[in-house]
Amino acid sequence: MKKILLLISCISIIGSQIVFSQSAEKAAPGVGKIKTSPPVARPLFKDFMGINGHYTFKPELYNQVCRLVRNYHNIDWDVKKLGAPVTIPESANHVNWKEDVYGPWKKAGFETDICIQFGAFGTNSPSYEAAWAGQERWTYNYGKAMAAYYGPSGRHKLATSFEIDNEPGTRFNPALFRTVFKQMAQGIRDGDPAAKILTPTAQARNGDDYSQDLRGMYAEKDILPLYDVINVHTYSTMDKTEATQNNWHRSYPEDTSIAYLKVIDETVEWRNKNATDKEIWVTEFGYDACTPEAMKYRKDWALKLNWQGATDLQQAQYLVRSFLVFAERDISRAYLYYYDDNDEASFHAASGLTREFKPKMSFWAVKQLYKTLGDYRFKRVVKKDIGDLFVYEFEHDTDPTRVIWMAWSPTGAKTFEKDTYVAREIKTTLKDLPGTPTEVAGMATADGKAPQAAWKKAGKSAITLTVSERPTYIIMKK
C-alpha cells in the first residue's frame, strides 16, 4: 500500500500423489509456466484468504469473509521515541492493543498478523537515521517483548506472525535497515520461536520506493534463518503512458501486459532457488471502487491526472478472480486491501469491501468465495486459455468426491476504459467433468442466495453454459 489512511485518533491426481500440472494450459506471454517447489497440497481457502484491518475494523462484520487479518501497528504508537520504556499492551497513544484491538479480533475467530511499521521512525522523518543510532539493544528488546506478549506461545496468543516494517523500499538506508531487521528479528525469535517472521515488502527485481530487492540481504547466510515468510505486495497498476497520464490506473487480474502476477511468479522462482523453506504471502492486493457521486468531488492530483477506479461490480469480480489465480501459485496466503473506505475518489482510498461499513458488491462476492471454497483447496488447472476461458478445479479437504470447478472469462476493463467497456460472455461446453453438478451458481453481488446459472447436460460428462467475467461455481459430486 502506497498510502495508509490512519483511523486512530486520536493439480491432477496420479494414483494418490497430488501433482500441480499445467500441461493443459496456454502459458501467458512473457510469464511462462509457473515453477513450483516439490508438489505439496495447497492451503485450504479458509487458511488462504485474508484482509487488511486497522483500529476501526469490525471483527463481527468481516469474519464473514475470512479468518485471517493483518494489522498496521506503528512503533511510534507504542513509544514516543526509540529507547523509551516498552509498556505492552498499553501504548503511548493510549491504545490498549490487547483490550481494544487484538483481543476482540481473536474472540471473533481471527488469526492476526502484526505489521510492525516504523511510522515516525521511518523515512517520512528526515532524522530517522539519527533516531535509530545506538538503539540496537532496544530494537532487540522491542521485538522480543512484542513476540513474548502477543505471540502464539504467550499467555494471550493474540498473533501468530510479525512483519518488520511495511514498505521501506529503497528509501530506507540499506545498511541501517539490515541492522534494524537483524536485531528485531532475533528479538522476535527469542521472544517466541513459534512466531513467524516476515520480511517487509520485497520482490525479485530491482527495488523501488515501496519494495526492497529480494535478491539482496535476504539471500545472505546470517539473514536467512531470521525470517520465515517472503512478503509481497502486488497491485494491477499500469505503466504511465501519454494516453493514461499516470501509473495509478489498474487492469483486470489476468492481463498479461502488467506486472501483477509476474511479480509473484518471479518471487516463487527466486524462493525455489534460494530459500526453499520460506513461505510466500501476498499481504496486499486490491481494487478501488467509489461511487459516481464521489467522482464529482475528485481533487488535486486525482482530478488533474484523471484518476479512475473500477466499478463496484468490477471490484467484486477482480478480487474473487485474484484469489483464484493466486491460489494456483505456490503461495500460502493472500490478504486483500482493504476492509472499509469512506467513498473517496483517490488511490487506495476506495478499496474497502464496505463503504462506511455498508457492504459493497465485493463484500458479498468474497463472502461467497470464503463460504463455498473454505474447506476446499486448489487441485489443478482444467483449462487456461488466455483471453478466452479459465477453469480451475478445487477439491474438498476430507471428501475427495466433492469437487468444485470455477469457470470465468479472464477479460475485463482497464479502469480508464470502464465507462465504455462491454463485459464479455461466452457460451461454452465443459467436458470431462469429474462428477455430476448438484448446483451451478453465479457470483453473488448482494445478500441472500447466489444467482443460479442456466446450464444443460451435453453428454455423459459434459455441460453447456454461458460463462462471463463473473466466476461461476460448478459444484459437483463424484
Side-chain angles (χ1 to χ4, degrees), residues 23 51 81-82 182 235 265 292 369 409 426-427 457 472:
S23 59
I51 193 169
K81 65 178 182 179
L82 298 177
K182 193 170 183 178
Y235 288 94
D265 294 341
L369 182 71
S409 175
I426 55 168
K427 188 172 182 178
K457 289 187 176 181
T472 299

Side-chain angles (χ1 to χ4, degrees), residues 163-215:
E163 303 174 31
I164 301 177
D165 206 12
N166 185 34
E167 292 176 335
T170 57
R171 297 167 295 166
F172 202 101
N173 180 296
L176 175 58
F177 186 85
R178 192 184 194 284
T179 297
V180 174
F181 182 89
K182 193 170 183 178
Q183 292 296 323
M184 192 173 294
Q186 190 61 62
I188 295 171
R189 277 277 185 266
D190 294 345
D192 189 343
K196 291 184 178 180
I197 300 173
L198 279 69
T199 69
T201 311
Q203 57 191 18
R205 54 172 60 186
N206 291 337
D208 55 35
D209 283 352
Y210 300 98
S211 290
Q212 294 180 334
D213 189 334
L214 185 60
R215 302 166 299 181

Side-chain angles (χ1 to χ4, degrees), residues 6 73-82 91-94 97 116-122 124 132 138 142 165:
L6 301 180
H73 185 126
N74 277 23
I75 296 176
D76 61 287
W77 297 336
D78 282 338
V79 293
K80 292 183 178 180
K81 65 178 182 179
L82 298 177
S91 62
N93 68 349
H94 308 296
W97 289 99
I116 302 174
Q117 292 192 134
F118 291 177
F121 309 127
N124 289 334
W132 289 98
W138 183 92
Y142 177 80
D165 206 12

Side-chain angles (χ1 to χ4, degrees), residues 125-155:
S125 168
S127 59
Y128 79 93
E129 292 176 272
W132 289 98
Q135 297 297 336
E136 290 84 358
R137 189 64 187 176
W138 183 92
T139 302
Y140 168 88
N141 288 336
Y142 177 80
K144 185 175 182 179
M146 288 287 287
Y149 188 89
Y150 298 117
S153 304
R155 175 184 174 187

